Amino acid sequence: MAFLLLSSVLLVLVFLTAEVTLCTGSTECVARNFGHDSVVCECNSTYCDSVGSVSLPPLGQYSSYLSSMAGSRLKGAQAQVQVKSTGAGIRLTIVPYQKYQKIRGFGGAMTDAAAINILSLSAGAQDQLLRQYFSPDGIGYSVVRVPMASCDFSTRLYTYDDTPGDYNLDNFTLAPEDINMKCLERPRLPEGPAWGFLEEYAKYNLTFWALTTGNEPSAGRMTNYSFQALGFTPEEQRDWVALDLGPALHASSHPHTHILILDDNRLLLPHWAKVVLNDVHAGRYIHGVAVHWYMDFLVPAEISLGVTHHLYPEYYLFGTEACSGWNPLDRGVKLGSWDRAEQYAHDIIVDLNHYVVGWTDWNLALDQTGGPNWVKNFVDSPVIVDAQRDVFYKQPSFYSMAHFSKFLWEGSQRVGVSASQKTDLEYSAFIRPDGSVVLIILNRSSSEVQFEVWDPAVGYIPSTAPAHSLLTLAWNTH
């Protein structure tokens, strides 16, 4: 079991208990251009741009938030809903009676590298960075992914039990990286024998709502893979859940923790799900299927995510890892890359439109080289830290995430949208728990697109999607 923990990954739902001062007004981006196709927003210990705490205008008006290659960053505006059509060429009609999945949340991963970079800043800048992600005046992250023991985004190799033959886990303990960089609170004494990772973190008042069966099991079956990976076939994963993980978790003091299978690329679906979920002994312990975004271009979402959902609608689909800069042809950090922001938004919209209930970025923060990473597998992140200057840069991809995470609350339900004609616009619509509607629109084309939204409950919303832009529209229906 100790070895199995090496590459497993958990998801934790974060509840902020610290006092948060709500910022109801927006502050402007301090833009810096590093020679790519757009800009970053620079933040320090005393200043960081923010759209503030968002509240919608009364019935009959709507809010819009725009980010673009040209430099807008969640630029807010309000206008009147119209009684009559504007006659714009494209009409997007909200179809509220077509109801689909409900949102669980959005977030990122607190890897060792992310923690190292956040802690490299002054206390004031650390506070700014964390508030940008997690506070109500930030972008509303509610999910954090935490690796079990080391991964490539660590500075050393370690497990939680490096004692050979210790199958009873008598020497199981968290690493200094967990205790000094992630828990940051004095431990509570356990009431009984600890059940692995969940119990050890519980001593620090951190609880987890879900765990996955292990990160990218297909990688672990590749010969000479370059960093930590535990290989599973779907048959092996099925049997491990049915005979070991499922019964052990059910009998522990954390029986309500969700188990998500796969935690790998969607090109493995629906085959992987069929093998595991068709087995009644494994299926009864499982709640969902975790997917990564790599290689998404190789297989359409409908024949992977869509088919999986239709075969197993009782199991939810959850995006658990994505990052830019992983491709050898486009490697590492690109400060100010709007193209990468569009890649994020496109993938999120496609996933949401194919029954995914949440989407998790990889490292919450990296340095300017895209690390640290012990095998130099450098990638990009929505937040890049410059510790020498005690500043951090919010990438365009940070705002791409914000257009979803800040507006799609937990429990928001996707509803239908129909377009009056073929369009380059990409979109997804949701009704939030309070009845308000959110429509997110991506324009990856180099031309401005005029359109109108028709919500039969309120009227017509005339709008424009500038070239290379991401737009969130929101309005009350009562």
Side-chain angles (χ1 to χ4, degrees):
M1 180 71 80
F3 179 68
L4 294 176
L5 292 171
L6 177 65
S7 61
S8 293
V9 178
L10 290 133
L11 298 171
V12 55
L13 188 59
V14 173
F15 296 96
L16 293 181
T17 55
E19 280 190 32
V20 175
T21 303
L22 295 183
C23 174
T24 55
S26 63
T27 50
E28 294 298 313
C29 165
V30 177
R32 288 198 63 190
N33 191 316
F34 285 86
H36 293 293
D37 57 6
S38 193
V39 297
V40 299
C41 297
E42 180 177 306
C43 300
N44 58 32
S45 62
T46 59
Y47 183 87
C48 198
D49 62 287
S50 170
V51 71
S53 182
V54 171
S55 59
L56 298 185
L59 182 66
Q61 301 177 44
Y62 68 94
S63 294
S64 66
Y65 296 88
L66 173 69
S67 298
S68 67
M69 180 188 285
S72 294
R73 295 295 180 263
L74 286 172
K75 181 181 179 181
Q78 294 183 356
Q80 289 291 131
V81 176
Q82 303 298 307
V83 176
K84 296 182 179 180
S85 170
T86 59
I90 300 167
R91 178 186 295 173
L92 301 178
T93 301
I94 305 297
V95 189
Y97 58 83
Q98 293 179 350
K99 298 183 185 299
Y100 303 98
Q101 81 277 20
K102 291 185 177 179
I103 291 295
R104 287 181 175 267
F106 297 85
M110 186 62 80
T111 59
D112 290 352
I116 288 167
N117 281 299
I118 293 169
L119 291 170
S120 73
L121 295 166
S122 66
Q126 288 179 40
D127 185 65
Q128 288 274 24
L129 193 159
L130 292 172
R131 285 174 180 270
Q132 286 298 307
Y133 273 130
F134 299 109
S135 74
D137 52 318
I139 65 172
Y141 270 18
S142 60
V143 175
V144 175
R145 185 178 186 230
V146 181
M148 284 190 186
S150 64
C151 67
D152 56 324
F153 282 93
S154 299
T155 56
R156 66 186 182 98
L157 283 162
Y158 63 90
T159 75
Y160 292 144
D161 191 344
D162 289 329
T163 305
D166 184 13
Y167 299 112
N168 293 324
L169 302 181
D170 295 325
N171 297 290
F172 187 99
T173 183
L174 294 181
E177 284 85 347
D178 296 278
I179 296 167
N180 299 327
M181 298 194 303
K182 299 171 188 174
C183 294
L184 300 179
E185 183 177 317
R186 292 181 62 86
R188 295 184 291 109
L189 292 177
E191 297 176 355
W195 190 84
F197 184 93
L198 300 178
E199 281 296 335
E200 290 298 311
Y201 260 83
K203 297 176 189 177
Y204 296 86
N205 289 320
L206 286 172
T207 57
F208 293 77
W209 65 268
L211 59 82
T212 75
T213 44
N215 182 67
E216 296 184 354
S218 64
R221 297 186 57 79
M222 297 179 187
T223 303
N224 297 322
Y225 196 71
S226 58
F227 54 87
Q228 300 96 309
L230 174 64
F232 273 119
T233 64
E235 292 79 9
E236 289 167 341
Q237 189 170 95
R238 172 198 65 199
D239 295 344
W240 183 59
V241 172
L243 301 174
D244 299 298
L245 178 63
L249 187 60
H250 183 71
S252 76
S253 55
H254 304 275
H256 301 297
T257 305
H258 289 198
I259 294 176
L260 309 185
I261 62 165
L262 189 59
D263 208 13
D264 209 329
N265 300 326
R266 76 182 189 204
L267 60 85
L268 296 169
L269 295 173
H271 173 68
W272 196 285
K274 289 180 178 179
V275 171
V276 180
L277 299 179
N278 281 349
D279 183 85
V280 65
H281 304 291
R284 63 180 175 151
Y285 295 114
I286 294 164
H287 297 80
V289 180
V291 292
H292 293 189
W293 90 322
Y294 311 103
M295 309 294 182
D296 273 3
F297 57 88
L298 292 178
V299 56
E302 182 53 40
I303 67 171
S304 52
L305 302 175
V307 169
T308 302
H309 169 78
H310 293 304
L311 288 172
Y312 309 102
E314 66 271 34
Y315 299 97
Y316 58 83
L317 297 164
F318 203 107
T320 49
E321 185 179 314
C323 70
S324 299
W326 63 274
N327 190 319
L329 300 177
D330 188 30
R331 170 68 76 181
V333 174
K334 278 189 174 179
L335 286 170
S337 172
W338 181 259
D339 177 65
R340 290 180 172 181
E342 287 187 353
Q343 292 174 27
Y344 265 43
H346 167 73
D347 198 82
I348 296 172
I349 288 173
V350 170
D351 278 5
L352 293 177
N353 288 342
H354 291 87
Y355 308 99
V356 170
V357 302
W359 208 88
T360 318
D361 182 42
W362 191 205
N363 301 274
L364 286 165
L366 292 174
D367 63 24
Q368 293 176 91
T369 64
N373 183 293
W374 75 271
V375 289
K376 296 181 169 49
N377 181 30
F378 301 130
V379 300
D380 212 338
S381 170
V383 168
I384 299 297
V385 169
D386 183 346
Q388 188 172 2
R389 295 185 59 230
D390 194 35
V391 300
F392 60 92
Y393 305 118
K394 294 192 299 184
Q395 294 267 48
S397 58
F398 175 91
Y399 297 89
S400 195
M401 290 293 299
H403 277 271
F404 301 89
S405 61
K406 189 169 182 65
F407 300 95
L408 298 183
W409 307 335
E410 183 179 5
S412 298
Q413 186 168 26
R414 183 168 68 89
V415 295
V417 186
S418 66
S420 61
Q421 63 190 64
K422 185 175 175 60
T423 175
D424 289 333
L425 298 179
E426 303 168 49
Y427 45 83
S428 194
F430 292 80
I431 296 180
R432 300 196 292 193
D434 67 353
S436 58
V437 180
V438 171
L439 176 64
I440 301 158
I441 298 153
L442 171 64
N443 180 11
R444 290 192 290 167
S445 78
S446 56
S447 301
E448 176 183 282
V449 177
Q450 288 191 330
F451 66 97
E452 70 175 6
V453 180
W454 182 40
D455 182 346
V458 297
Y460 296 88
I461 295 172
S463 191
T464 300
H468 294 291
S469 69
L470 187 56
L471 182 66
T472 296
L473 303 175
W475 61 93
N476 282 311
T477 58
H478 60 267

